[in-house]
Amino acid sequence: MQEIPLETHDLTVAYDKRPVLYGVDVQVPEGKLVGIVGPNGAGKSTLIKAIMGIVPITGGWVKVFGESFARGAKRVGYVPQRESVDWDFPVNVMDVVLMGRYGRLGLMGRVSKADREIAEACLDKVGMLPYAKRQISNLSGGQQQRVFLARALAQESDLYLMDEPFVGVDAATEAAIIELLRELKGRGKTILVVHHDLPTAQTYFDMLMLLNMRLVAFGPTEEVFTQELLQKTYGGRLTILSEVANTVMKESK
Amino acid sequence: MSIWSELIPEFSFEQVFVEPWTEFLDPFIWIFLMGFFVTAACGFLGTFIVWRRMALVGDAISHSVLPGLVIAFLVSQSRDTLPMFLGAVGAGVLTTGLIEVIHQKSRIKTDAALGIVFTTLFAIGVVLVSLYGENVDLDTDCVLYGELEHVTLEPLSSVFGLFEAPGSVIRMGVVSLLVVGLVILFYRPLVVSSFDPGLARSMGMNPAAMHHALMSLLAIVVVSSFEAVGAVLVIAMLIFPGTTASLLSDRLPVILGITLVIAFLGALLGMHFALWLDISTAGAISTVIFGMFLLAWVFAPRRGLLWQVFR
Amino acid sequence: MKLAGESWKRFCGLSFAPALRWALAGVLVLLFAASAEAARISDMQDTNVWEQAIRFFSLRDDVVRTALLGSIFLGISCGLLGSFIVVRKLSLFGDTLSHAVLPGVAIGYLVAGEKDPFAIFVGATVAGVLGTVVVNLIKKTTHIKEDSSLGMVLAGFYGIGIVLMNRIQKLPTGTQSGVNKFLFGQAAAVSPTEVWMIAGVAVAAVLMVLLFYRQFLLGSFDIGFARSLGLPAGLFHYLLMMLLAFTVVVSLQAVGAVLVSAMLVIPAASAYLLTDRMHRMLVLASVFGIFSGVLGAFFSFLGNSLPTGPLMVLAASSIFTLSFLFSPKHGLVSRWRKRRRGQKRIENENTLKAIYQVRESYGFAGEGVRVKDLALRMGETTDETRRRLEKLAAVGVCDLKEIEGKSYAFLNPDGWLRACAVVRNHRLWELYLTNQAEYEPDHVHDDAEVIEHILGEETVRHLERLLDYPAEDPHGKLIPSLADLQRSLTKGSSEDKATGYRMPNQ
């Protein structure tokens, strides 16, 4: 029987008591490249963060490879939004990629030659090997994204969660990234990508998750990418839902 | 103009730079070591505090431990390390707790909550010191800029029969070793959770636990430095070494190394200046490391002002 | 003790007028407690507290008059400027500024050769401005973040100040220089010249705020918008910062450098909890500022050698604690009571809903509901159910009757309407979630359990319109409609058959 890389049931998240994601049920099958699509404020990044337990969930549950996230964490790779980290941090490109190996090394394990070689190979794959010794603030947006990707590769995970990896990158980088994601998929990895550009979403992903505060649809791209469902996703916020969410927040204060 | 000529006393190289290392080595070596240990422990830990944008939390804790120290003394009637430490940690926990409560249960923002809590606790502490000062053996001067020189008045105690040193110097030395040791031991989780908490989380680390551990360590360092440098100057020791070093290097291990060098130079020069000008050693050290920051800010390769102008 | 407990109970059950009275009583108790402490202090001084207090409030002494006047004006400027600090989230900036003026104080003293208020004022202002400039420069030219650069200027300038002050005290004239009073403040040491300066700054602050209230408000709330209107927002920002610097500098003698920021932040934060309007906040903050200032000066006077700054801060913190707990709208206690009321209401509404459901299971036949059936429905013992019903009876929507040895509950028309309304809210929301928000029917119940109690009439109308006035919920149960409810209300009778099948009559 195949493992289910990611399953959520009735996943509900509230920020400051204000619900932002309502009852999301998904089962992501193995070896798929999945796009998470929806308007601004639809809770796309929140979904990823809730899966990883970075934002607390208020209801429902998440399973990663049939286990709680804490247990399955070793098999999950993460690419955060580029702005979420401080690029002035005093580390160079190689340090960042090696961070991808830390999950395996534990507290005391030394960074071995093999780890270094893996990190170098990953850097090479994204075309960043020549920059290995650069301090990270001296990189362009596209280069920073490539470094993050290399780090995710170095994690050698089975499930990848990527938050807007295509934001602020040049066309060449975007093409290189999608190439790489397809290659990963070819090796049986499962990848969830938060994406905000509809036209490219249709061509990039096998499956789409249409999200707007609740899950509108989840399925193969050709089935889900329909005028009707997109209209439902983008056709205005569910005004009552957010109205009521506001009331809930006020009442509980 | 006479006031100015009296402001700077006569300078005698012999007296300021030579005698502390020859004739009067015994008191001065302890002042130097104490200064070095305090600045090193604060600076080493402070590097992470700065990167995690917790600089002002350090400020808050350093002020609010005061009532804890005084009350612990009044209750236990002793200057033993343990009750003092418990009192200070209690005050530290109370600070963070109160800030949380005010922030969550009202619409006061965190910065104002911080400003309300630590100043109030500090005010309580100052009033207590003013009332019971003579019993507590703390005075407002000590609160304001520490009394690092007092280590020379302490009786020497022996360490495993190997050598003898004043108790507070030994204690501060242990704290510095603890800080350096823990930072090296937990280097990886510390770096990852400071740089990218999301990644740390995805690796099964617990960034929240890391945060609390760091806060506790910060409290320990602040408390043990309190008598030496007071409530305010500890901020200088926490922030200057790390920020100065980060102007000089891009690599964290190198930066951590530089903070130790800064601590060494700061304590050394600070001690000599304090001796020459007959001023508070803690004030002198903080002024020296402020000066080092200014030098680095102007002259640092690549990141310095001059470099940016003439590039 | 028993009495106190009972008043407490009464306080919890009543509205805010008594709450205010109690808050006042609290202040008095606090004052008593504080004077008891002061009594202890004065024991050390061998003087009578009451004599001292009378001396203070009769304003016989010049020193007292000066100190009092200074504290009043200081309270005004701290309250006004502090309000802007708090709403603009600049609290830590205030802290930095107050520490950074210290070397200026020392240099002012050195230049004048004595404690000349004007020289110190100029020196401190220059140091404060320099500190602000350095913070901004560090931020602009390095990667160092704002909080660190604030901390660096705070500690760095303060360190230099300490070094200079140490030296001044070593001067032959230094011991009586009084510069160390600038650290924790001594209201009694305020000179008439200084009071003039404090008053000058307070008047300037009041005038500027009155003249440019709208500009300051807009600049604080939305600086981008202010710019788009063509306002010189930068100019007003600097004007505000300048006033802030002046306030800090003139406060030094009375409050001390270390705690000035508290006098800025705490009265303003207390006011912020009591009102939602900026102009009221400004007035309240000034009043609190005056109150803390005077109280601090008073206790410092009683305690003779006690520094004034910490005492003023403690007075301000007491006010803050009171408003944090008892503010009618944002206070902890009042919010807790509101929540308790809400929980009681929810509990009652759940009972009403259960009564509706039992009647529904009877096919709306008969008038009453058997308590046993209700208990079964709610999954609890009949005793528990009876207690619930008694709570309903207490608010006058339900009667409990014994008929032929069996207990029945009867809802009166008000209760029945409320029951219908809760059921309607629940079922409408379930329907909305399944139809419009594409929920699985098995996910909607829990959510509706919460939402049913908070849906307002506006939202219900909106929902009915959106769902095209539905008659049945996702589980096929009837939904009592808003129109039906209202019709029965206007007819004034719940027995009216015209309410139709959708409004099951009593």
mmCIF file of all heavy atoms in Angstrom, chain B residues 197-213:
data_model
loop_
_atom_site.group_PDB
_atom_site.id
_atom_site.type_symbol
_atom_site.label_atom_id
_atom_site.label_comp_id
_atom_site.label_asym_id
_atom_site.label_seq_id
_atom_site.Cartn_x
_atom_site.Cartn_y
_atom_site.Cartn_z
ATOM 1 N N PRO B 197 13.292 30.192 11.514
ATOM 2 C CA PRO B 197 12.520 29.354 12.447
ATOM 3 C C PRO B 197 11.673 28.314 11.714
ATOM 4 O O PRO B 197 11.474 27.212 12.208
ATOM 5 C CB PRO B 197 11.624 30.363 13.169
ATOM 6 C CG PRO B 197 12.225 31.685 12.942
ATOM 7 C CD PRO B 197 12.999 31.612 11.667
ATOM 8 N N GLY B 198 11.196 28.670 10.532
ATOM 9 C CA GLY B 198 10.383 27.735 9.762
ATOM 10 C C GLY B 198 11.167 26.479 9.450
ATOM 11 O O GLY B 198 10.680 25.352 9.628
ATOM 12 N N LEU B 199 12.406 26.659 8.984
ATOM 13 C CA LEU B 199 13.244 25.502 8.659
ATOM 14 C C LEU B 199 13.516 24.679 9.915
ATOM 15 O O LEU B 199 13.439 23.453 9.893
ATOM 16 C CB LEU B 199 14.566 25.969 8.056
ATOM 17 C CG LEU B 199 15.498 24.813 7.699
ATOM 18 C CD1 LEU B 199 15.053 24.156 6.410
ATOM 19 C CD2 LEU B 199 16.933 25.250 7.596
ATOM 20 N N ALA B 200 13.805 25.382 11.007
ATOM 21 C CA ALA B 200 14.079 24.667 12.256
ATOM 22 C C ALA B 200 12.894 23.789 12.625
ATOM 23 O O ALA B 200 13.039 22.621 12.990
ATOM 24 C CB ALA B 200 14.349 25.668 13.381
ATOM 25 N N ARG B 201 11.727 24.351 12.470
ATOM 26 C CA ARG B 201 10.503 23.621 12.769
ATOM 27 C C ARG B 201 10.379 22.404 11.848
ATOM 28 O O ARG B 201 10.046 21.303 12.292
ATOM 29 C CB ARG B 201 9.353 24.601 12.557
ATOM 30 C CG ARG B 201 8.004 24.140 12.900
ATOM 31 C CD ARG B 201 7.802 23.924 14.361
ATOM 32 N NE ARG B 201 6.811 22.864 14.473
ATOM 33 C CZ ARG B 201 6.607 22.128 15.531
ATOM 34 N NH1 ARG B 201 7.300 22.324 16.608
ATOM 35 N NH2 ARG B 201 5.702 21.192 15.530
ATOM 36 N N SER B 202 10.678 22.610 10.566
ATOM 37 C CA SER B 202 10.515 21.503 9.624
ATOM 38 C C SER B 202 11.534 20.407 9.884
ATOM 39 O O SER B 202 11.396 19.301 9.394
ATOM 40 C CB SER B 202 10.629 22.013 8.188
ATOM 41 O OG SER B 202 11.990 22.130 7.830
ATOM 42 N N MET B 203 12.580 20.714 10.648
ATOM 43 C CA MET B 203 13.552 19.675 10.978
ATOM 44 C C MET B 203 13.222 19.035 12.315
ATOM 45 O O MET B 203 14.015 18.283 12.857
ATOM 46 C CB MET B 203 14.938 20.280 11.072
ATOM 47 C CG MET B 203 15.493 20.622 9.726
ATOM 48 S SD MET B 203 17.009 21.519 9.952
ATOM 49 C CE MET B 203 17.617 21.418 8.289
ATOM 50 N N GLY B 204 12.082 19.370 12.853
ATOM 51 C CA GLY B 204 11.686 18.777 14.115
ATOM 52 C C GLY B 204 12.321 19.454 15.320
ATOM 53 O O GLY B 204 12.207 18.972 16.437
ATOM 54 N N MET B 205 13.029 20.577 15.083
ATOM 55 C CA MET B 205 13.542 21.326 16.231
ATOM 56 C C MET B 205 12.386 22.127 16.822
ATOM 57 O O MET B 205 11.342 22.272 16.217
ATOM 58 C CB MET B 205 14.629 22.312 15.814
ATOM 59 C CG MET B 205 15.870 21.666 15.273
ATOM 60 S SD MET B 205 16.939 22.939 14.600
ATOM 61 C CE MET B 205 18.181 21.949 13.804
ATOM 62 N N ASN B 206 12.618 22.672 17.994
ATOM 63 C CA ASN B 206 11.560 23.431 18.627
ATOM 64 C C ASN B 206 12.023 24.870 18.870
ATOM 65 O O ASN B 206 12.643 25.173 19.884
ATOM 66 C CB ASN B 206 11.191 22.757 19.949
ATOM 67 C CG ASN B 206 9.977 23.402 20.573
ATOM 68 O OD1 ASN B 206 9.589 24.507 20.200
ATOM 69 N ND2 ASN B 206 9.378 22.709 21.530
ATOM 70 N N PRO B 207 11.739 25.773 17.904
ATOM 71 C CA PRO B 207 12.246 27.137 18.033
ATOM 72 C C PRO B 207 11.737 27.830 19.287
ATOM 73 O O PRO B 207 12.446 28.656 19.875
ATOM 74 C CB PRO B 207 11.704 27.849 16.785
ATOM 75 C CG PRO B 207 11.293 26.770 15.863
ATOM 76 C CD PRO B 207 10.938 25.583 16.698
ATOM 77 N N ALA B 208 10.527 27.502 19.728
ATOM 78 C CA ALA B 208 9.986 28.149 20.925
ATOM 79 C C ALA B 208 10.813 27.764 22.154
ATOM 80 O O ALA B 208 11.165 28.616 22.967
ATOM 81 C CB ALA B 208 8.530 27.758 21.111
ATOM 82 N N ALA B 209 11.150 26.485 22.254
ATOM 83 C CA ALA B 209 11.959 26.035 23.385
ATOM 84 C C ALA B 209 13.320 26.722 23.348
ATOM 85 O O ALA B 209 13.855 27.145 24.375
ATOM 86 C CB ALA B 209 12.128 24.525 23.334
ATOM 87 N N MET B 210 13.860 26.866 22.137
ATOM 88 C CA MET B 210 15.136 27.538 21.963
ATOM 89 C C MET B 210 15.051 28.969 22.483
ATOM 90 O O MET B 210 15.943 29.454 23.169
ATOM 91 C CB MET B 210 15.452 27.556 20.455
ATOM 92 C CG MET B 210 16.886 27.678 20.146
ATOM 93 S SD MET B 210 17.782 26.618 21.223
ATOM 94 C CE MET B 210 18.934 25.930 20.248
ATOM 95 N N HIS B 211 13.946 29.608 22.145
ATOM 96 C CA HIS B 211 13.740 30.988 22.577
ATOM 97 C C HIS B 211 13.744 31.072 24.105
ATOM 98 O O HIS B 211 14.417 31.921 24.690
ATOM 99 C CB HIS B 211 12.416 31.493 22.014
ATOM 100 C CG HIS B 211 12.063 32.888 22.419
ATOM 101 N ND1 HIS B 211 12.621 33.991 21.813
ATOM 102 C CD2 HIS B 211 11.242 33.355 23.365
ATOM 103 C CE1 HIS B 211 12.139 35.077 22.387
ATOM 104 N NE2 HIS B 211 11.300 34.711 23.328
ATOM 105 N N HIS B 212 13.007 30.174 24.737
ATOM 106 C CA HIS B 212 12.930 30.218 26.198
ATOM 107 C C HIS B 212 14.288 29.908 26.833
ATOM 108 O O HIS B 212 14.662 30.530 27.826
ATOM 109 C CB HIS B 212 11.864 29.252 26.704
ATOM 110 C CG HIS B 212 10.474 29.682 26.350
ATOM 111 N ND1 HIS B 212 9.965 30.898 26.729
ATOM 112 C CD2 HIS B 212 9.510 29.095 25.629
ATOM 113 C CE1 HIS B 212 8.751 31.034 26.257
ATOM 114 N NE2 HIS B 212 8.446 29.949 25.582
ATOM 115 N N ALA B 213 14.995 28.948 26.250
ATOM 116 C CA ALA B 213 16.313 28.616 26.784
ATOM 117 C C ALA B 213 17.230 29.830 26.708
ATOM 118 O O ALA B 213 17.962 30.148 27.656
ATOM 119 C CB ALA B 213 16.905 27.451 26.000
#
